[in-house]
Amino acid sequence: MYSGDTKTLKVTISPKSAKKKVSYSTTKKSVATVSKKGVITAKKAGAAKIKVTVTDKRNKKKTAYVNVKVKYVSLSLNKKSASIKAGQSLALRAKVAPKKKVKWSTSNSKVVTVNSKGVVKGRKKGTAKVTARVGNKSATCKITVKGSGSADVNVNNEIKVKELHASIQGGDTVYVGHSKPISTTFVPANATNKTLSYSSSNTGVAQVNSQGAILGISAGTAKITIKAAGNVSTTLNVKVVEVPVESVTVTPGEITLGITSTTNLTATVLPAEASKKLINWSSDNMGMASVDANGKITGRAKGTTEIKAQVAGSDRFGVCKVTVIEESAVADGITMEVPNPYKDNVGNVYENTALFGRDMELRVRLQRNGQPVKHYRKQHDDISYC
């Protein structure tokens, strides 16, 4: 046992039903004492014997001895006296051998308080004693509390944040739809409470989450505020810009088509998340090849020209080289009509009915892609082209 320790003796008597009386005594009270209930208390280093006497109903006695060896416990504090200001804290350190749990107490909690780790905090002007105790060993420190002062360390031994520095990784410009993290530095670096909160002055432009990641919402500027414990804060200015267009590709990039023929072009804008994607289509020579707002081109005359697809509000564009050729007039359709239908002698008109003669005519139209290729007019037995 170590000085200050206590242990309770357990006596076993057989049979259990036997009536008995148990008494205890010690051979050396300065080393170890024992109570009427068999609780041994170690006093100081040394050896002693605890005598256990059992007396039955016939007054017969039986005795047994317990050898007790008490070892010395040393206890000291790193300070015997100290002065602090009200609101300030001081950490006392207890040196104990062998290692034992230390209990702390104060003689006046209105002047100073002390927690289970030996951290003392000044409450108001005055003096008090802080005591560290291990068993029956104790050590004290006299604490003098002076006028009020600021505290860098609180009663829980917390190191407070004095300054906070922040920056946006990769610069203060953020693209719409993209995010960037905030880096922070605490002063002092060993501050114990590094909890942070974030807010944006304009969430329609930039938002910030609980992890300090800034998300661009729309073009504009916003101020990001970062707060640490103790009302320590700093701010960052962020500029949100649209994602710029890097390139435009027209597919196909080169094409050959006939006069009156049509085809559709497509334009691909990169990167895919570019803010501007509206395409303006144009032709270098509308008389040779025309293009509508949807990229549909039509051959107009023989020759070569370029169709341009440019992003609205950007200087980026792509082109398609167009060669227009004369194709063979192979018809894929035909229409016929009678310009002067047959009329009988009483004035009845028969639509789309012709009687071949000097006064009757049949008009034939050949078509390709819905467009006329040639006309054929038959009068009597002759065919004329128009």
Side-chain angles (χ1 to χ4, degrees):
M1 297 177 69
Y2 293 99
S3 56
D5 286 350
T6 60
K7 287 186 178 180
T8 301
L9 290 172
K10 184 178 180 181
V11 179
T12 303
I13 300 173
S14 182
K16 293 182 179 180
S17 60
K19 292 183 178 181
K20 67 276 185 184
K21 178 182 178 182
V22 182
S23 60
Y24 306 91
S25 63
T26 177
T27 59
K28 203 168 186 178
K29 291 183 179 181
S30 60
V31 174
T33 61
V34 62
S35 71
K36 292 179 180 181
K37 293 185 178 182
V39 179
I40 301 171
T41 301
K43 294 294 187 179
K44 70 175 184 178
K49 287 185 178 182
I50 302 299
K51 182 180 178 181
V52 182
T53 302
V54 178
T55 304
D56 63 15
K57 62 181 180 179
R58 291 174 293 183
N59 208 30
K60 286 186 177 182
K61 296 181 180 182
K62 287 189 177 182
T63 59
Y65 291 89
V66 177
N67 294 317
V68 177
K69 186 176 181 180
V70 179
K71 295 182 179 180
Y72 180 74
V73 175
S74 65
L75 172 64
S76 61
L77 296 178
N78 62 325
K79 293 180 180 293
K80 292 185 178 181
S81 64
S83 295
I84 58 175
K85 291 182 179 181
Q88 287 186 325
S89 299
L90 172 69
L92 294 178
R93 294 191 301 274
K95 185 178 180 181
V96 185
K99 191 174 181 180
K100 306 280 283 183
K101 184 177 180 180
V102 179
K103 293 183 179 180
W104 298 88
S105 62
T106 175
S107 63
N108 191 339
S109 59
K110 293 182 179 180
V111 175
V112 294
T113 59
V114 62
N115 67 8
S116 60
K117 295 181 180 180
V119 178
V120 179
K121 183 175 182 180
R123 307 296 292 178
K124 70 175 185 178
K125 187 176 181 180
T127 59
K129 287 184 179 181
V130 174
T131 301
R133 191 178 302 276
V134 177
N136 62 352
K137 297 289 293 186
S138 63
T140 61
C141 177
K142 181 181 178 182
I143 304 294
T144 301
V145 180
K146 298 181 179 179
S148 62
S150 61
D152 292 334
V153 184
N154 66 14
V155 71
N156 295 317
N157 207 25
E158 178 187 7
I159 301 175
K160 293 186 175 182
V161 178
K162 289 184 177 180
E163 296 179 23
L164 184 65
H165 303 288
S167 62
I168 303 173
Q169 293 184 26
D172 59 2
T173 299
V174 179
Y175 288 132
V176 172
H178 289 224
S179 65
K180 282 186 177 182
I182 296 174
S183 295
T184 52
T185 303
F186 293 87
V187 178
N190 63 339
T192 52
N193 187 352
K194 293 186 178 181
T195 302
L196 294 172
S197 63
Y198 305 87
S199 62
S200 170
S201 65
N202 190 343
T203 55
V205 171
Q207 297 178 2
V208 58
N209 66 14
S210 60
Q211 304 301 314
I214 300 172
L215 175 65
I217 304 298
S218 64
T221 59
K223 182 177 290 186
I224 305 299
T225 301
I226 306 100
K227 288 185 178 181
N231 291 323
V232 179
S233 64
T234 188
T235 59
L236 293 170
N237 292 317
V238 61
K239 181 180 180 181
V240 179
V241 297
E242 294 182 339
V243 179
V245 176
E246 294 179 2
S247 66
V248 181
T249 302
V250 177
T251 305
E254 187 172 346
I255 192 170
T256 300
L257 76 163
I259 297 173
T260 73
S261 294
T262 63
T263 192
N264 292 306
L265 302 179
T266 59
T268 303
V269 178
L270 294 177
E273 64 269 25
S275 300
K276 296 177 179 178
K277 291 185 178 180
L278 178 63
I279 297 294
N280 289 332
W281 294 93
S282 63
S283 172
D284 282 354
N285 189 335
M286 291 290 285
M288 190 172 293
S290 62
V291 61
D292 66 12
N294 298 313
K296 180 180 179 180
I297 59 174
T298 303
R300 298 297 182 186
K302 183 179 179 180
T304 300
T305 187
E306 284 187 344
I307 302 297
K308 181 186 291 185
Q310 183 166 353
V311 176
S314 170
D315 61 355
R316 301 294 180 174
F317 64 89
V319 296
C320 172
K321 182 180 178 181
V322 179
T323 301
V324 182
I325 61 173
E326 290 183 347
E327 291 185 305
S328 300
V330 178
D332 60 9
I334 185 170
T335 63
M336 293 185 292
E337 66 174 324
V338 179
N340 55 342
Y342 169 68
K343 182 186 295 184
D344 63 17
N345 56 2
V346 293
N348 295 317
V349 177
Y350 299 85
E351 298 292 340
N352 295 321
T353 301
L355 293 178
F356 286 99
R358 290 292 177 181
D359 59 344
M360 309 302 291
E361 181 178 303
L362 174 65
R363 180 173 293 173
V364 179
R365 286 189 174 90
L366 300 180
Q367 293 181 324
R368 178 178 175 82
N369 294 328
Q371 301 295 322
V373 177
K374 286 184 180 292
H375 285 138
Y376 299 95
R377 183 183 296 118
K378 181 174 178 64
Q379 290 179 320
H380 279 261
D381 295 326
D382 301 323
I383 294 179
S384 62
Y385 299 94
C386 55

